[in-house]
């Protein structure tokens, strides 16, 4: 689900309309102020923001901090969540999203009423290896529900 959430956020247009939620974009190189610039684009309802990025991007931000001998944390004390479906800064091309700043409460998961997890047991296909395959599925609707709850950081 986390990869689907990242894909949804990165796929939304920057400008909101009467029928669509917007996710603003900050085009920025790695700098101590990059995350602060993204935070400034968040709406008032984004009160508990996090940062989502590739681990290599995290290391690159820390390298900027150490090289400049800055005593300030480039992440402003926010929780950093790692997701490798986002490109690392060093391999991201122009306009590629390399970080997301936002409040995950602006994203909603909706489970249908009455539907429960459907479980299927397959004791035949891997029987020769004395294994039983169990597959469980539950249908879920995912989507961004708050305007300006997230900000994409691009190169």
């Amino acid at each position: 689900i986390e990869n689907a959430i990242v894909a949804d956020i990165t796929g939304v247009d920057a400008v909101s309309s009467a029928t669509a939620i917007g996710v603003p974009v900050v085009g920025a190189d790695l700098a101590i102020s990059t995350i602060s610039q993204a935070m400034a684009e968040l709406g008032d309802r984004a009160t508990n923001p996090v940062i989502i990025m590739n681990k290599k991007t995290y290391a690159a931000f820390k390298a900027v901090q150490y090289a400049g001998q800055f005593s300030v944390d480039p992440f402003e004390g926010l929780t950093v969540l790692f997701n490798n479906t986002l490109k690392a800064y060093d391999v991201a091309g122009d306009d590629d999203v390399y970080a997301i700043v936002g409040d995950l409460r602006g994203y909603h998961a909706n489970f249908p009423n009455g539907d429960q997890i459907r479980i299927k047991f397959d004791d035949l296909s891997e029987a020769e290896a004395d294994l039983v395959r169990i597959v469980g599925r539950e249908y879920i609707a995912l989507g961004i529900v708050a305007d300006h709850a997230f900000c994409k950081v691009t190169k």
Side-chain angles (χ1 to χ4, degrees):
I1 291 178
E2 68 189 28
N3 294 342
I5 292 170
V6 168
D8 281 353
I9 295 169
T10 58
V12 173
D13 289 333
V15 180
S16 58
S17 69
T19 58
I21 291 173
V23 175
V25 177
V26 170
D29 291 330
L30 289 179
I32 293 297
S33 63
T34 300
I35 302 302
S36 297
Q37 290 172 358
M39 293 249 322
E41 296 295 327
L42 298 179
D44 292 339
R45 293 176 60 193
T47 58
N48 191 24
V50 298
I51 305 162
I52 305 170
M53 66 177 54
N54 188 297
K55 290 178 184 175
K56 289 184 179 181
T57 303
Y58 176 86
F61 267 109
K62 286 302 194 175
V64 168
Q65 176 188 6
Y66 299 145
Q69 298 180 349
F70 295 108
S71 60
V72 65
D73 180 8
F75 306 120
E76 303 283 339
L78 300 175
T79 300
V80 179
L81 304 173
F82 298 114
N83 186 288
N84 287 334
T85 60
L86 288 171
K87 291 185 178 180
Y89 177 80
D90 61 344
V91 297
D94 290 344
D95 298 327
D96 282 342
V97 177
Y98 67 88
I100 297 169
V101 177
D103 188 341
L104 290 173
R105 289 179 294 183
Y107 199 92
H108 188 70
N110 185 22
F111 297 90
N113 276 343
D115 276 349
Q116 297 187 4
I117 296 176
R118 295 181 187 164
I119 297 177
K120 232 180 192 183
F121 294 91
D122 177 6
D123 56 353
L124 299 175
S125 62
E126 297 188 35
E128 291 179 8
D130 288 334
L131 296 174
V132 174
R133 179 176 295 191
I134 302 171
V135 178
R137 289 190 183 137
E138 180 164 11
Y139 297 100
I140 180 172
L142 301 170
I144 301 171
V145 294
D147 193 39
H148 286 71
F150 301 96
C151 180
K152 300 181 278 190
V153 183
T154 64
K155 199 167 185 181

